[in-house]
């Protein structure tokens, strides 16, 4: 039995992280049991509300579209920092002829002071797509709808024990409307990768369970990348739980599968009160799929980390070298510094991040990524802020491999259509 304090932390973290259960899962089956739905203001369960979704035929309601000069055209050049402190620039080029699409729902980012965000993007929404999405543009065409998400302001109120009047159904209705518009007007039969982190991943888990899993749209699914949320799976299995038909990816050539993990430092595993990497449903576990195994890297993480602090809830990165060399790019790559391994211990499944620092060389021996509230690191959150960054290069490599596998599958299907007899 969890203590009252742990239960309250669970409910708070669920809202803050935007998990599917806190966003109102499908009414036919549980999607994510990371925590129970947050209580409504009247003390009852959060009710389903009828809200008018956004009109996604209006291009102004998208953060990113392939044909637009928008947030996804920002510079994401990286400085590669070698062990000896040598710096080199790694430019980025998107593939305008990519054969598949990526549909992305962003993390909790809005700095609006209202419980739900408006549809006017601020610099924070642009910053989050730079951190989590743009690099996938070398593998797919990018679609990212704006949506009226639960804001950081509402999250902070929840942490203070208040009950903000946030409307999670509004957020989900927007995401579903954007997906429906995309399928009807933009997809044109192309394969698609769904990508989300934090609140975005929670909303996508619900969307996939309700609208894709076992439905015609599943045929278009290349993969689903669902980070910083607990994707439930029966213990010891790769299919079942949140999704009935969509399995976890077990190789880089798998298609129609899901990748999910939450990350913690290897030397700071999740404390008992953490809700990341765990399930409260008997017989269920939180999925952990390591992209650095899927792409053949044997655990070596190809991280793209922010060169400077990009959130008020984090800390400044440490100096990248002991030489004091200036970093002038928005991202830093640190080949060989980080490895990841899925760990199952004490009821948690998580991606354990090991820092392979060498105090005798000229490169940093640590990274940022911890959540900080009132000046205090929050161990229960692990490296939540960096979940996508830690394996970004691996994830992009996996998506490229999956795109080839998906194309090969479609060619085979066209050459050998199923026998309808």
């Amino acid at each position: 039995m969890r203590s009252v304090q742990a239960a309250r932390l669970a409910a708070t973290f669920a809202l803050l992280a935007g998990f599917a259960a806190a966003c109102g899962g499908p009414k036919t089956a549980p999607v994510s049991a990371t925590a129970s739905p947050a209580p409504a203001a009247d003390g009852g369960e959060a009710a389903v509300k009828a809200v008018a979704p956004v009109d996604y035929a209006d291009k102004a309601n998208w953060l990113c579209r392939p044909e637009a000069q928008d947030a996804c055209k920002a510079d994401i050049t990286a400085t590669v920092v070698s062990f000896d402190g040598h710096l080199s620039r790694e430019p980025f080029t998107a593939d305008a002829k990519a054969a598949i699409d990526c549909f992305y729902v962003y993390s909790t980012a809005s700095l609006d002071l209202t419980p739900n965000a408006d549809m006017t993007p601020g610099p924070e929404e642009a910053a989050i797509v730079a951190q989590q999405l743009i690099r996938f543009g070398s593998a797919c065409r990018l679609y990212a709808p704006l949506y009226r998400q639960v804001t950081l302001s509402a999250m902070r109120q929840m942490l203070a024990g208040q009950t903000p009047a946030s409307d999670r159904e509004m957020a989900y209705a927007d995401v579903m409307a954007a997906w429906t518009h995309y399928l009807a007007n933009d997809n044109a039969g192309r394969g698609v990768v769904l990508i989300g982190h934090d609140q975005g991943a929670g909303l996508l888990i619900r969307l996939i369970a309700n609208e894709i899993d076992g439905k015609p749209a599943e045929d278009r699914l290349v993969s689903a990348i669902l980070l910083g949320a607990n994707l439930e799976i029966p213990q010891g299995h790769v299919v079942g739980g949140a999704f009935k038909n969509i399995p976890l990816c077990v190789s880089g050539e798998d298609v129609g599968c899901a990748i999910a993990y939450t990350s913690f430092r290897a030397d700071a595993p999740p404390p008992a009160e953490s809700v990341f990497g765990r399930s409260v449903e008997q017989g269920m576990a939180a999925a952990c799929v390591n992209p650095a195994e899927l792409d053949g890297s044997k655990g070596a993480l190809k991280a793209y980390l922010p060169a400077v602090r990009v959130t008020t809830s984090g800390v400044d990165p440490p100096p990248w070298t002991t030489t004091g060399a200036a970093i002038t790019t928005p991202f830093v790559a640190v080949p060989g510094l980080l490895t990841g391994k899925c760990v199952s211990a004490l009821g948690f499944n998580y991606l354990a991040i090991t820092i392979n620092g060498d105090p005798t060389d000229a490169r940093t021996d640590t990274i940022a990524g911890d959540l900080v509230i009132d000046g205090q690191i929050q161990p229960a959150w692990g490296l939540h802020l960096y979940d996508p960054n830690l394996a970004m290069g691996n994830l992009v490599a996996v998506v490229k491999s999956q795109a080839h596998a998906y194309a090969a599958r479609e060619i085979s299907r066209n050459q050998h259509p199923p026998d309808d007899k």
Side-chain angles (χ1 to χ4, degrees):
M1 292 291 291
R2 293 182 299 168
S3 68
V4 172
Q5 181 182 15
R8 180 177 178 181
L9 280 169
T12 302
F13 289 151
L15 178 59
L16 288 167
F19 291 124
C23 294
K27 304 303 176 276
T28 56
V31 169
S32 174
T34 301
S36 301
D42 62 0
E45 294 295 325
V48 176
K49 300 177 182 178
V51 294
V54 170
D55 178 12
Y56 287 99
D58 184 349
K59 302 296 174 57
N61 291 325
W62 294 81
L63 268 174
C64 299
R65 293 182 57 86
E67 74 279 6
Q69 189 64 34
D70 52 30
C72 280
K73 306 307 186 291
D75 176 27
I76 58 165
T77 302
T79 295
V80 181
V81 183
S82 301
F83 278 105
D84 61 4
H86 176 74
L87 306 182
S88 60
R89 290 174 67 89
E90 181 184 285
F92 171 80
T93 303
D95 182 0
K97 298 181 179 180
I100 62 170
D101 296 340
C102 285
F103 183 92
Y104 166 75
V105 182
Y106 50 91
S107 307
T108 308
S110 175
L111 296 177
D112 292 351
L113 298 180
T114 50
N116 284 76
D118 60 27
M119 292 296 291
T120 302
E124 64 271 24
E125 282 91 357
I128 204 70
V129 299
Q131 295 296 320
Q132 300 183 354
L133 178 63
I134 297 178
R135 205 164 294 277
F136 284 100
S138 64
C140 53
R141 302 190 309 175
L142 304 180
Y143 291 86
L146 285 163
Y147 71 103
R148 292 170 291 184
Q149 68 169 208
V150 178
T151 62
L152 285 167
S153 174
M155 306 305 184
R156 293 187 181 109
Q157 290 179 52
M158 187 68 178
L159 272 178
Q162 302 171 23
T163 54
S166 52
D167 188 342
R168 295 165 229 151
E169 289 302 314
M170 179 189 294
Y172 178 69
D174 288 350
V175 170
M176 192 167 106
W179 170 251
T180 301
H181 178 88
Y182 160 78
L183 276 184
N185 299 278
D186 299 306
N187 178 262
R190 293 162 60 90
V192 58
V193 178
L194 281 80
I195 303 171
H197 176 252
D198 181 82
Q199 183 171 172
L203 292 167
L204 282 178
I205 290 171
R206 178 179 175 184
L207 179 79
I208 293 168
N210 284 345
E211 307 296 331
I212 298 174
D213 190 21
K215 306 286 179 63
E218 187 181 339
D219 197 50
R220 301 267 68 86
L221 182 67
V222 176
S223 63
I225 298 174
L226 306 164
L227 310 180
N230 293 344
L231 176 64
E232 289 200 331
I233 195 80
Q235 292 180 4
H237 296 269
V238 296
V239 68
F243 308 140
K244 303 309 176 188
N245 303 284
I246 298 169
L248 301 181
C249 300
V250 296
S251 83
E253 288 73 41
D254 288 345
V255 296
C257 57
I259 299 169
Y261 63 80
T262 59
S263 59
F264 286 80
R265 296 177 188 269
D267 58 0
E273 69 271 16
S274 179
V275 298
F276 293 102
R278 70 185 300 178
S279 169
V280 296
E281 292 290 328
Q282 186 173 4
M284 305 294 286
C288 182
V289 177
N290 186 356
E293 295 291 344
L294 296 182
D295 73 344
S297 296
K298 299 181 179 180
L301 292 170
K302 301 173 184 176
Y304 286 91
L305 306 175
V308 298
R309 178 160 51 125
V310 293
T311 172
T312 57
S313 299
V315 296
D316 292 330
W320 294 104
T321 71
T322 60
T323 64
I327 304 291
T328 59
T329 60
F331 288 90
V332 170
V334 283
L337 182 64
L338 305 175
T339 53
K341 179 181 179 181
C342 282
V343 170
S344 297
L346 301 176
F348 292 93
N349 287 345
Y350 60 97
L351 188 64
I353 308 300
T354 298
I355 303 174
N356 306 300
D358 181 350
T360 67
D361 69 21
R363 188 169 68 176
T364 181
D365 294 324
T366 188
I367 61 170
D370 303 284
L371 183 76
V372 176
I373 298 176
D374 295 330
Q376 299 295 315
I377 289 176
Q378 305 298 306
W381 288 78
L383 290 170
H384 183 73
L385 297 181
Y386 276 11
D387 283 328
N389 303 79
L390 293 167
M392 180 58 68
N394 311 88
L395 289 165
V396 171
V398 170
V399 169
K400 289 180 178 180
S401 178
Q402 290 175 327
H404 288 300
Y406 179 85
R409 188 192 76 178
E410 294 303 291
I411 291 172
S412 177
R413 284 181 172 181
N414 291 334
Q415 293 176 342
H416 307 284
D419 189 348
D420 294 330
K421 293 181 181 180

